[in-house]
Amino acid sequence: MVDIIVGAQGGDEGKGKIAAYLALKDKADYCVKVGGPNAGHTVFLNGKIYPLKSIPAGFVNPKTKLILAAGSYVILEWLLNEIKETQTENRIIIDPNCVVITEEQRNAERKNPHLMNTIGSVGTGLGMAIKDRIERKKILFAKDVKELSCFIKSVPELLNKEISRSKKILIEGTQGFKLSLLHGEYPFVTSRDTTASTFLAEVGLGPKYVGDIYAILKPYVSRVGPGPLEKEITDEKELEKYHTQGREVGSVSKRLRRIGEFEYETAKKAIMINSATKIAVTHFDLLSPRIKKILEVKEKKAINFLKILNKLSKVYPYPKLALISQGPNTEDIIDLRK
Ligand code: IMP
Ligand code: MG
């Protein structure tokens, strides 16, 4: 069975946190990261902080195998450092067609004023690597990199076989719905689609085996670059709470994230286009002090947000509120699935 995690807002919804929790709780056999190193996850585990840009957040489960697919893009140095830091050498698998972003591609992106200034690209070279791939130029595949030779294996062949043996696969989608090249707020988008069907294609799996699709939502929306926010928060005092308690600072870009009020229509569209079956909420602690059960919620803002979620759960295919995260640690989650 395959479960997929998707961002239903402007990226940075806390997908890494949810992926880490699900990898542990649901005992994922495989976690796959798609997309590029512009998408960072921050994982808090046993008092240590892991800022990841290359490997799946599911590394927190020592039994989970970690996969980079044909639709994954990496910066070699960052990847090798993360593998070392997390001591995951013996459980990394990389598809031969995973792309290694070159220095030239990174430089080309950083020297492009349209991308860097108007669009607010993170500058990791992902867009340029995808452009070169589309133009059928010579690009650097993982299979051609000596340091990666010990990790190379065909991911579609492996995972299709493992599905037939009832293994559990978790796909960690990157970025958010507003950043989708197809369905997002063009031109303020990333260089690929950011919805569930594309993530599957990037891994090399068909849609037949999908179990749950988790749409991840925060009680507000953030954007690290320019582009629309329905109701942007500009009050500096209020913003400070998001930047400090909410840690809303770009994990790759280090920019303070812009914050906007919750966007109902964005969430509704994201649920529809991803056919989300579950909703996972993160940063709930910004609305309410820690609780053990959802019935303990007392704050007016938190109650109103739960009402909005209830309305979203009536959007076809009727996603159920499944997880409520209320802090950075992997365990700080109320699991409503049982
Ligand atoms: P690019 O994908 O680096 O070209 O960036 C294009 C736009 O998407 C910019 O506004 C970035 O800030 C935004 N973006 C890219 N990756 C992420 C992410 O992982 N989280 C949030 N925003 C992102
Ligand atoms: Mg991020």
Side-chain angles (χ1 to χ4, degrees), residues 82-97:
E82 279 174 38
I83 295 176
K84 209 162 144 198
E85 180 78 2
T86 53
Q87 299 176 353
T88 48
E89 294 82 357
N90 51 3
R91 51 192 178 104
I92 296 269
I93 297 160
I94 303 179
D95 191 84
N97 294 337

Side-chain angles (χ1 to χ4, degrees), residues 10-12 38-40 109 119-123 175 179 189-191 224-225 255:
D12 306 307
N38 50 353
E109 188 158 302
I119 307 302
S121 283
V122 184
Q175 281 112 9
L179 299 173
V189 294
T190 189
S191 40
V224 9
R255 290 176 279 188

Side-chain angles (χ1 to χ4, degrees), residues 12-288:
D12 306 307
E13 297 89 354
K15 293 175 292 295
K17 159 80 189 278
I18 300 296
Y21 176 79
L22 290 177
L24 283 166
K25 188 75 183 175
D26 295 359
K27 302 187 173 64
D29 295 293
Y30 295 91
C31 272
V32 195
K33 184 187 185 246
V34 288
N38 50 353
H41 294 331
T42 310
V43 179
F44 294 71
L45 184 73
N46 303 328
K48 224 182 145 188
I49 301 177
Y50 297 88
L52 305 176
K53 302 175 187 96
S54 321
I55 70 166
F59 91 89
V60 299
N61 182 340
K63 294 207 170 122
T64 302
K65 297 225 168 64
L66 310 171
I67 295 199
L68 297 173
S72 306
Y73 293 74
V74 295
I75 290 173
L76 184 62
E77 190 194 337
W78 295 4
L79 171 65
L80 294 174
N81 281 343
E82 279 174 38
I83 295 176
K84 209 162 144 198
E85 180 78 2
T86 53
Q87 299 176 353
T88 48
E89 294 82 357
N90 51 3
R91 51 192 178 104
I92 296 269
I93 297 160
I94 303 179
D95 191 84
N97 294 337
C98 163
V99 171
V100 176
I101 301 173
T102 62
E103 198 59 39
E104 294 83 75
Q105 286 159 340
R106 276 173 85 183
N107 286 338
E109 188 158 302
R110 289 192 188 149
K111 280 191 201 137
N112 184 321
H114 173 67
L115 284 177
M116 295 307 289
N117 306 336
T118 314
I119 307 302
S121 283
V122 184
T124 54
L126 171 69
M128 287 301 164
I130 292 178
K131 180 170 171 276
D132 287 348
R133 199 177 199 177
I134 289 170
E135 288 181 355
R136 267 55 57 83
K137 284 190 179 154
K138 189 168 163 41
I139 53 172
L140 186 58
F141 286 109
K143 64 184 169 199
D144 301 320
V145 176
K146 199 171 77 233
E147 292 97 316
L148 300 179
S149 57
C150 53
F151 306 120
I152 301 293
K153 195 179 250 180
S154 163
V155 168
E157 281 190 30
L158 170 74
L159 292 186
N160 280 286
K161 192 165 83 206
E162 290 294 72
I163 286 173
S164 74
R165 298 175 54 214
S166 305
K167 297 287 181 189
K168 232 183 149 53
I169 298 164
L170 184 63
I171 300 179
E172 299 179 12
T174 36
Q175 281 112 9
F177 182 74
K178 282 161 80 80
L179 299 173
S180 161
L181 182 64
L182 300 182
H183 306 287
E185 294 164 330
Y186 193 91
F188 301 104
V189 294
T190 189
S191 40
R192 43 191 269 286
D193 175 43
T194 54
T195 67
S197 313
T198 290
F199 300 151
L200 278 169
E202 288 176 329
V203 178
L205 291 170
K208 188 173 157 127
Y209 318 107
V210 177
D212 277 312
I213 297 162
Y214 288 82
I216 319 300
L217 291 167
K218 295 191 280 204
Y220 53 89
V221 182
S222 67
R223 248 191 183 282
V224 9
L229 281 173
E230 232 171 66
K231 272 206 187 128
E232 184 156 4
I233 296 171
T234 50
D235 182 81
E236 288 206 4
K237 246 206 154 111
E238 203 183 339
L239 276 175
E240 200 186 318
K241 183 175 93 173
Y242 293 98
H243 291 145
T244 53
Q245 189 189 343
R247 303 167 304 283
E248 293 292 357
V249 182
S251 60
V252 185
S253 64
K254 305 291 175 218
R255 290 176 279 188
L256 289 183
R257 293 180 187 141
R258 295 163 57 213
I259 308 292
E261 287 179 21
F262 188 82
E263 296 180 5
Y264 180 79
E265 288 303 319
T266 301
K268 188 175 156 191
K269 216 166 142 192
I271 287 168
M272 175 182 76
I273 292 180
N274 284 294
S275 57
T277 58
K278 297 251 190 316
I279 292 176
V281 172
T282 63
H283 288 70
F284 196 73
D285 50 316
L286 266 79
L287 297 182
S288 153

